[in-house]
Amino acid sequence: MDAQQLDMNRNEDAMRRSLSTLKQRFSVVEQGGGKKNLEKVRQKGKLTPRERIAYLIDKDTPFTEIGAFAAYEMYPEHGGCPAAGTVGGIGYISGRQCMIVANDMTVKAGAWFPMTGKKNLRLQEIAMENRLPVIYLVDSAGVYLPMQDEIFPDKEHFGRIFRNNARMSAMGITQIAAVMGSCVAGGAYLPIMSDEVLMVEGNGSIFLAGPYLVKAAIGETVDAETLGGAVTHTEISGIADYRFDTDEECLDHIKKIVSKIGDPVSAGFNRATPAPPEKDPATLYNMIPEDSTRPYDMLEIIHRLVDRSEFDQYKEDYGKTILCGYARIDGWAVGIVANQRKMVKSKKGEMQMGGVIYNDSADKAARFIMNCNQKKIPLVFLQDVTGFMVGSRSEHAGIIKDGAKLVNAVANSVVPKFTVIVGNSYGAGNYAMCGKAYDPRFIYAWPNAKIAVMGGEQAAKTLLQIQVASLKAKGEEITPEEEKRLLDEITARYNSQTTPYYAAARLWVDEIIDPLETRKILSESIAAANNAPVEDTFSLGVFQV
């Protein structure tokens, strides 16, 4: 076996280990508040949130989950909050793509943690950007009171949910709320601000204040059903529109409602008959080096993601550290902007480092993005970037100016953008390649991804120098052994913050995905974006030329 084959085997082993970790961790996440709490829900005759979604969506159709790892390993002092207490994503109901948002009542009775708010706002944002009908499966005790100051009053907190309800209604986006459990306090406004409200008798309830608070506030003694149950709201208050005996009956009626919604106005993105890649996608596993600093050919990754492995390169011989070109993904026409990770030779015959953005590559990518906006072609960014080239030569050549040109083009792009982090995502390279701050419609990460302001080794050495200088300034002597201990400690802490799980927990990425799922997930994402016409005109504004 030659050295190249050994490297490929090591790479595949590393990727499969990462995927095994992903599956193991997801299997824990999908248990929500744990088996005991799941069983309690079933004893009440209720379906769990994942069972509700599985029953609701069309058989044998994909469900593209968003934010499964939201709040991952956060709030340990409060017992954790798996998936931020909400299961959400895009699924097909009666043949129509919909955003489905289901409270997980097994996690602190569906109470809202700070990340619950952030995740729900992200799901609503996706629905608004892509004009997707929204189905709320409501079963929540409201704000998690021990952390109320981090979820209640700010612009991006709990109240923004209802503002979005109103905005979506004005935009003509259908919202259907099925109250299948508690719906308390401020949360009671969500179903009432939706187009139609369905309730499950015996389990569903809506009220601003529950029986205990009513007793404390005004001295009235009343039970939950009388106060705000399904009968009350369908027969007396008129707040709810439909009443059902079971979760299944309620979900069946949602399917009927969705089946009658008018067809969306298409953005008109071009789609041909899908064709599989000619190069085997399964070999993606052995192409990404286990050592993220090592080079590889991004072109080979692209060939395993696009139809017929056909990629029409733009300015192939110029700005080679970024690959730009046209292709199809599951039939959808796309423009691809990808970091080339192998060493390349510049127009002047000089070798350039892979994964680094140089002046010419920034200039090329900016022009390509403009072309895609002109042609109304969605953009796919494949990130494995360590940043922009530094040093006097690059600075004198105007790397900041060329970088700003690229950032300007990405920021002002009006066609939908989709980002997949396939390796490193460091510093300003994250921004230029359409990181979260630049409004990609969807952003995904492979399980080997690393997201940080700079690589772990460089960051740790920089932080070490600062810490050692501080200690010496205080008159402390630092031995080589102590310096190594500090370096190891800093490196471990920094590396723990660069993992895709750390990023997904904070919704810097929407989901961590299997590389072999990339084509399907991008296809579903583009299909969602095709529901929303591109209404704005592309304009760059002012920048240094």
Side-chain angles (χ1 to χ4, degrees):
M1 187 179 294
D2 61 22
Q4 183 180 11
Q5 188 60 50
L6 281 171
D7 275 347
M8 292 171 69
N9 288 349
R10 276 194 290 267
N11 295 342
E12 182 170 351
D13 287 345
M15 182 61 78
R16 289 191 181 278
R17 286 196 300 272
S18 295
L19 288 167
S20 177
T21 298
L22 176 63
K23 290 174 183 175
Q24 289 170 8
R25 292 180 176 181
F26 179 72
S27 69
V28 174
V29 167
E30 66 180 347
Q31 292 295 316
K35 292 182 179 179
K36 186 176 179 181
N37 287 337
L38 289 169
E39 191 54 40
K40 285 181 180 178
V41 166
R42 294 190 180 102
Q43 287 173 359
K44 293 179 180 178
K46 297 164 70 170
L47 299 175
T48 68
R50 292 184 182 276
E51 288 171 344
R52 286 170 176 170
I53 292 172
Y55 186 91
L56 183 60
I57 63 175
D58 299 343
K59 187 177 180 181
D60 299 324
T61 61
F63 175 66
T64 306
E65 185 161 355
I66 302 295
F69 286 96
Y72 183 74
E73 293 188 336
M74 296 176 70
Y75 316 122
E77 67 278 20
H78 297 281
C81 185
T86 304
V87 183
I90 299 172
Y92 288 85
I93 302 172
S94 300
R96 181 72 170 263
Q97 270 189 322
C98 296
M99 174 60 73
I100 305 170
V101 183
N103 298 124
D104 189 346
M105 76 299 282
T106 72
V107 180
K108 295 287 192 297
W112 286 55
F113 283 67
M115 281 306 302
T116 312
K118 186 172 183 178
K119 178 172 177 176
N120 278 263
L121 288 172
R122 173 59 179 153
L123 296 172
Q124 286 186 321
E125 178 184 49
I126 291 171
M128 285 190 280
E129 287 181 333
N130 301 290
R131 302 294 196 277
L132 299 175
V134 188
I135 313 300
Y136 301 104
L137 306 181
V138 185
D139 199 332
S140 171
V143 167
Y144 183 60
L145 291 178
M147 302 187 76
Q148 63 86 27
D149 61 319
E150 296 181 50
I151 183 61
F152 168 63
D154 210 348
K155 180 178 179 180
E156 300 296 330
H157 281 179
F158 190 67
R160 188 80 171 182
I161 302 292
F162 317 126
R163 176 265 187 193
N164 287 350
N165 288 143
R167 291 290 303 126
M168 281 191 280
S169 184
M171 293 166 68
I173 297 172
T174 298
Q175 298 175 85
I176 300 167
V179 181
M180 312 174 87
S182 297
C183 187
V184 184
Y189 286 104
L190 184 145
I192 312 314
M193 297 187 74
S194 299
D195 301 350
E196 295 185 80
V197 182
L198 301 79
M199 293 189 72
V200 177
E201 189 171 353
N203 285 323
S205 57
I206 305 172
F207 32 65
L208 291 179
Y212 294 118
L213 184 53
V214 168
K215 178 69 174 177
I218 63 173
E220 180 185 359
T221 301
V222 61
D223 63 85
E225 278 296 306
T226 303
L227 183 64
V231 172
T232 293
H233 286 312
T234 54
E235 295 185 7
I236 300 174
S237 75
I239 280 174
D241 305 305
Y242 311 96
R243 182 174 79 241
F244 304 94
D245 292 329
T246 66
D247 281 9
E248 289 87 348
E249 289 176 6
C250 181
L251 296 168
D252 283 336
H253 198 76
I254 292 175
K255 298 177 188 181
K256 290 181 182 179
I257 296 173
V258 174
S259 72
K260 297 176 178 64
I261 298 175
D263 290 338
V265 179
S266 170
F269 300 134
N270 185 270
R271 191 179 195 186
T273 302
E278 288 187 1
K279 294 192 175 183
D280 185 3
T283 56
L284 283 170
Y285 287 175
N286 62 37
M287 303 201 68
I288 300 291
E290 179 181 11
D291 178 354
S292 64
T293 65
R294 294 187 63 182
Y296 63 91
D297 190 352
M298 179 63 83
L299 191 58
E300 293 300 321
I301 302 291
I302 294 172
H303 284 159
R304 285 155 178 79
L305 296 177
V306 302
D307 293 15
R308 298 186 181 88
S309 299
E310 293 176 354
F311 180 57
D312 300 323
Q313 282 205 58
Y314 171 81
K315 292 185 184 289
E316 182 175 353
D317 298 319
Y318 178 77
K320 294 181 181 179
T321 64
I322 290 185
L323 298 170
C324 299
Y326 304 102
R328 291 187 182 276
I329 293 178
D330 197 36
W332 294 106
V334 295
I336 295 176
V337 181
N339 302 111
Q340 175 57 285
R341 278 305 311 271
K342 71 176 184 178
M343 297 284 286
V344 297
K345 190 176 289 187
S346 74
K347 59 185 182 241
K348 296 179 181 178
E350 300 163 340
M351 295 306 294
Q352 295 181 332
M353 291 187 292
V356 176
I357 302 175
Y358 288 78
N359 299 72
D360 53 359
S361 50
D363 178 73
K364 171 174 118 176
R367 178 58 184 259
F368 180 71
I369 290 167
M370 289 188 254
N371 282 341
C372 288
N373 275 271
Q374 183 82 351
K375 299 179 179 75
K376 295 293 187 286
I377 298 174
L379 285 159
V380 172
F381 292 83
L382 301 178
Q383 279 199 19
D384 193 341
V385 58
T386 53
F388 286 86
M389 190 59 190
V390 297
S392 60
R393 240 173 118 180
S394 290
E395 297 293 359
H396 295 170
I399 186 65
I400 298 174
K401 174 188 68 178
D402 291 321
K405 188 189 302 183
L406 174 55
V407 168
N408 203 314
V410 173
N412 286 298
S413 179
V414 296
V415 296
K417 299 167 293 197
F418 308 89
T419 301
V420 183
I421 302 172
V422 305
N424 302 313
S425 180
Y426 294 154
N430 170 282
Y431 303 155
M433 292 295 293
C434 198
K436 185 63 184 289
Y438 288 78
D439 297 322
R441 290 290 178 93
F442 298 88
I443 179 168
Y444 304 107
W446 285 1
N448 57 295
K450 294 182 179 180
I451 304 166
V453 72
M454 65 176 73
E457 185 179 351
Q458 301 96 309
K461 287 180 179 178
T462 302
L463 291 167
L464 176 66
Q465 290 172 23
I466 295 169
Q467 194 164 334
V468 167
S470 175
L471 292 170
K472 286 182 177 179
K474 296 175 182 177
E476 297 183 29
E477 285 295 322
I478 305 298
T479 65
E481 292 77 19
E482 176 66 8
E483 192 168 310
K484 183 181 183 305
R485 186 194 68 77
L486 283 172
L487 179 62
D488 290 343
E489 181 183 296
I490 292 168
T491 301
R493 184 173 66 248
Y494 190 88
N495 286 341
S496 71
Q497 296 175 356
T498 68
T499 71
Y501 297 97
Y502 192 91
R506 290 151 183 82
L507 287 175
W508 301 344
V509 298
D510 290 320
E511 201 62 84
I512 305 170
I513 64 172
D514 184 333
L516 294 188
E517 296 286 300
T518 305
R519 267 175 59 84
K520 182 183 79 172
I521 289 172
L522 282 175
S523 176
E524 289 300 315
S525 301
I526 297 168
N530 197 43
N531 289 300
V534 179
E535 298 171 348
D536 297 326
T537 302
F538 180 65
S539 176
L540 281 179
V542 177
F543 62 91
Q544 293 287 337
V545 296

